[in-house]
Amino acid sequence: YRPFFRELDLSTLAVLTFMPTTTSSEPSLEEEFAEPKFRPPELLFLLRDLQAKLDKSLISVGKKRGIPGKTNPLSTVGFSNMCLLSPDKVVEKVSPYIKHIFTHLDEISSYFQRLVSLHDGVMDSADMFTAQSIIFSKCIKAGFQVVNTFFSWSGFQS
């Protein structure tokens, strides 16, 4: 679906600063319109998008780009704004949001800690494998991938 979506600018990461991710259950549509909250599916969408952007712009020098002449024509689709920024500028724009990403991951982590304490320390209770918990796990994974890619950038060494 990526070629059909409009590219999100890095300024959309400002959403991460407004409020932490809520781990409460999904409300009805009327409740959501009355009092919207930042939920894990939205966080997951932003983190995956940021991960793709970081992979595209902070690619290390030693990473192979493929066979010359055999490039994928869709590899740059959805990154037109990112191609205009240098890796230094990308790091400069993303770095203020790293602490907010950790805040969201901490909120999700505390959800799992509450879940474990609710079940008397049982780590593999039935509640750990609900659809909501799986989305929370994907958020944590995507968040750590973003942070890993960000801090693995070779430009930090110079």
Side-chain angles (χ1 to χ4, degrees), residues 32-50:
E32 187 68 24
F33 282 140
E35 190 179 339
K37 296 193 182 328
F38 192 61
R39 304 208 178 273
E42 291 88 18
L43 176 65
L44 183 60
F45 180 79
L46 281 177
L47 290 175
R48 284 182 174 167
D49 184 69
L50 179 59

Side-chain angles (χ1 to χ4, degrees), residues 19 31 88 90 95 102-103 105 107 112 132:
M19 66 175 63
E31 291 173 323
D88 293 337
V90 171
S95 62
F102 279 121
T103 302
L105 296 181
E107 184 67 31
F112 284 116
Q132 184 180 20

Side-chain angles (χ1 to χ4, degrees), residues 3-21:
F4 303 105
F5 286 132
R6 183 175 175 193
E7 178 183 7
L8 294 177
D9 289 331
L10 288 177
S11 61
T12 58
L13 294 176
V15 170
L16 297 173
T17 65
F18 297 141
M19 66 175 63
T21 303

